[in-house]
Amino acid sequence: MSEQELKALRLRIDSLDEKVLELISERARCAQEVARVKMASLAEGEVPVFYRPEREAQVLKRVMERNKGPLGNEEMARLFREIMSSCLALEQPLKVAYLGPEGTFTQAAAMKHFGHAVISKPMAAIDEVFREVAAGAVNFGVVPVENSTEGAVNHTLDSFLEHDMVICGEVELRIHHHLLVGENTKTDSISRIYSHAQSLAQCRKWLDAHYPNVERIAVSSNAEAAKRVKGEWNSAAIAGDMAAGLYGLTRLAEKIEDRPDNSTRFLMIGSQEVPPTGDDKTSIIVSMSNRPGALHELLVPFHENGIDLTRIETRPSRSGKWTYVFFIDFAGHHRDPLVKSVLEQISQEAVALKVLGSYPKAVL
Ligand SMILES: C=C(O[C@@H]1C=C(C(=O)O)C=C[C@H]1O)C(=O)O
């Protein structure tokens, strides 16, 4: 390609960038107008709601449907995710608490869902994320809820039993783990490997094959593991890209998770009810009396009404020995007439039924 051709193309890019810049600014001004209209139409004492997850899901879906390439749908949606995040921050910067410290997969999930224009606050434990949201110190919290290799995150499920929270969204993240070492690590004399228990479990076979005799030490998070390695010459950490970057560690081995599709699902928790988008999920907690056929009775209404159950999990109820609660996720919104009637049928048989929230299915 000649210099001449390159120069012409760069001029074209400059002129396109000017148009993109102007259009983004116009979009941002529109978002400011939306804020003005929302404020003007408030009733006495009503609190304005700036963040609309159902609208954001629709915007991203529309972008993906209309995208003709060459950028892929996910890539394009990611760019629009950031534009919306910045536009919303003009209306109101969201405050989001997540399971920290900085560099955790939960932080990456928070950024994937809300974009980078949020004020994010790392918390030391899942329960603290719930408490921070309940106290009103942040608008939303982000917590892991299940992993495709290791199953439920029980701390999160149990926290739902203790706090009144509304689930406002979900996001899924592919989890890639690396074996990380610091500048001073003697790589041939590694005697301990730090990571979160979930990550150690997700890499169990790889560790058995490559480091069978090395001590595996579970710490509070992958980011904490990465932090420890920085100051030790004989240890390594299993963690992801964010933690590696944050603590300046290098990858001794990449993508060491046992299952290549290893993914974690995260929930956004808050106090805001989300209206239907037409492609939603609902999460409920149900406790049934301890008698034969109780689980069957719970599931029949879903089957009879053709409602797709996406997940069912059992936890001790904490209100009696050997009594249980069921966490159930299914397709649909609790305001859909069909879902409403299913929930009514269940509540007739159940000891207790609580809708944790209906929210758009993960778009990104
Ligand atoms: C602009 C709005 O407010 C926020 C910003 C959005 C955007 O930038 O597209 C979408 C939904 C809201 O989170 C709106 O409610 O439409």
Side-chain angles (χ1 to χ4, degrees):
M1 188 176 278
S2 72
E3 275 301 309
Q4 212 56 17
E5 260 180 294
L6 260 186
K7 205 172 161 195
L9 284 171
R10 284 184 180 145
L11 275 173
R12 242 174 91 193
I13 286 183
D14 283 347
S15 123
L16 285 167
D17 282 351
E18 276 169 33
K19 285 185 194 145
V20 172
L21 179 66
E22 186 40 48
L23 286 173
I24 293 176
S25 304
E26 198 178 325
R27 191 189 193 286
R29 284 191 291 273
C30 247
Q32 282 177 317
E33 275 299 290
V34 169
R36 191 187 57 74
V37 173
K38 283 178 186 171
M39 290 300 288
S41 56
L42 286 183
E44 264 289 306
E46 198 187 342
V47 187
V49 179
F50 293 112
Y51 173 62
R52 304 306 306 237
E54 76 286 7
R55 168 72 183 148
E56 296 205 348
Q58 280 161 353
V59 171
L60 293 178
K61 274 204 174 145
R62 213 172 111 92
V63 163
M64 290 167 106
E65 277 160 20
R66 284 165 185 244
N67 178 39
K68 295 197 186 83
L71 289 182
N73 280 354
E74 286 223 350
E75 192 55 32
M76 195 56 110
R78 205 176 56 77
L79 294 174
F80 272 82
R81 165 65 284 162
E82 290 302 332
I83 293 174
M84 274 198 295
S85 180
S86 301
C87 288
L88 174 66
L90 279 179
E91 291 187 54
Q92 175 210 40
L94 283 183
K95 286 193 212 129
V96 177
Y98 63 92
L99 175 63
E102 257 193 287
T104 54
F105 286 111
T106 312
Q107 185 184 20
M111 297 303 130
K112 186 176 178 186
H113 188 81
F114 291 106
H116 283 71
V118 293
I119 300 166
S120 61
K121 191 168 176 189
M123 307 304 295
I126 286 173
D127 190 54
E128 282 186 33
V129 177
F130 275 78
R131 268 188 261 150
E132 197 71 358
V133 179
V138 290
N139 304 96
F140 295 98
V142 185
V143 288
V145 67
E146 59 177 321
N147 173 266
S148 60
T149 311
E150 274 305 294
V153 180
N154 291 331
H155 284 315
T156 294
L157 297 184
D158 293 345
S159 295
F160 277 114
L161 298 176
E162 276 160 33
H163 299 268
D164 268 327
M165 280 293 144
V166 181
I167 302 174
C168 324
E170 61 166 2
V171 68
E172 214 183 286
L173 206 65
R174 276 295 275 275
I175 304 289
H176 295 303
H177 292 302
H178 314 302
L179 187 70
L180 303 172
V181 290
E183 274 174 3
N184 305 323
T185 311
K186 295 207 169 78
T187 53
D188 51 359
S189 31
I190 290 171
S191 61
R192 47 172 97 113
I193 294 179
Y194 296 112
S195 196
H196 188 268
Q198 281 262 347
S199 313
L200 288 171
Q202 290 164 29
C203 304
R204 186 168 29 226
K205 284 189 197 148
W206 188 91
L207 285 167
D208 288 347
H210 294 87
Y211 289 90
N213 301 317
V214 166
E215 193 186 357
R216 299 171 200 179
I217 303 173
V219 292
S220 60
S221 71
N222 295 346
E224 172 62 29
K227 200 166 155 184
R228 287 197 188 195
V229 162
K230 242 188 119 52
E232 297 178 14
W233 60 270
N234 60 339
S235 56
I238 292 177
D241 291 318
M242 264 176 96
L246 200 64
Y247 295 102
L249 304 182
T250 52
R251 297 164 179 73
L252 202 55
E254 289 195 320
K255 297 188 179 170
I256 59 169
E257 59 277 5
D258 294 334
R259 292 179 59 98
D261 57 356
N262 187 37
S263 305
T264 296
R265 183 170 163 251
F266 298 84
L267 295 176
M268 318 299 135
I269 53 172
S271 52
Q272 189 178 326
E273 278 252 1
V274 185
T277 65
D279 194 14
D280 304 293
K281 250 189 199 176
T282 297
S283 300
I284 60 172
I285 308 182
V286 193
S287 57
M288 302 294 284
S289 61
N290 214 346
R291 58 182 158 79
L295 180 58
H296 177 74
E297 274 167 29
L298 171 59
L299 297 180
V300 162
F302 288 103
H303 174 65
E304 283 179 347
N305 289 280
I307 290 181
D308 183 16
L309 286 188
T310 54
R311 176 170 179 244
I312 177 162
E313 211 77 63
T314 312
R315 291 292 298 152
S317 75
R318 300 183 156 198
S319 57
K321 196 172 161 194
W322 310 131
T323 61
Y324 300 92
V325 292
F326 301 102
F327 285 82
I328 300 176
D329 289 353
F330 56 89
H333 194 284
H334 72 269
R335 287 196 209 154
D336 299 344
L338 199 63
V339 173
K340 252 187 170 166
S341 95
V342 167
L343 293 179
E344 269 158 26
Q345 284 174 58
I346 293 172
S347 62
Q348 279 163 20
E349 302 297 332
V351 175
L353 165 74
K354 186 162 139 193
V355 177
L356 293 177
S358 294
Y359 45 92
K361 276 189 195 162
V363 181
L364 285 176

